[in-house]
Amino acid sequence: MEQVVIALLMMINNEIKEARIQKDLSSCLKGKRLAMRELNSKSKISYSCVKSMAELEVNIDGSLSIKKLIME
């Protein structure tokens, strides 16, 4: 299933390692702020919020997760 989502991305060395669906931009930015506070300044980890098409999959508990981001 494909759908437009707002996702919080964790990137290491400019490569996406994790993408989490967020309910809105506000909660995404809050999650980004909280994650950035935990990092030290020399870390190669960065976070960003994006609005993009994504291929989603249904988890065993019925929740949705991002299988693949479709960046255009």
Side-chain angles (χ1 to χ4, degrees):
M1 152 182 26
E2 290 184 358
Q3 183 176 334
V4 174
V5 296
I6 295 174
L8 175 58
L9 306 179
M10 179 179 75
M11 296 179 287
I12 301 175
N13 293 329
N14 294 324
E15 182 180 335
I16 297 172
K17 293 295 184 180
E18 187 173 345
R20 298 278 182 154
I21 298 173
Q22 303 295 308
K23 64 180 181 174
D24 56 23
L25 185 58
S26 176
S27 61
C28 186
L29 292 171
K30 180 180 178 183
K32 178 184 173 184
R33 272 194 314 274
L34 291 172
M36 293 297 288
R37 286 182 193 155
E38 299 296 319
L39 293 179
N40 62 23
S41 61
K42 295 178 181 165
S43 176
K44 296 191 185 241
I45 299 173
S46 63
Y47 295 89
S48 66
C49 295
V50 297
K51 183 176 181 180
S52 175
M53 283 293 290
E55 187 175 316
L56 304 176
E57 61 184 356
V58 179
N59 297 322
I60 198 164
D61 65 354
S63 63
L64 295 174
S65 63
I66 297 172
K67 185 174 182 180
K68 179 172 74 171
L69 283 173
I70 304 168
M71 307 294 256
E72 295 179 1

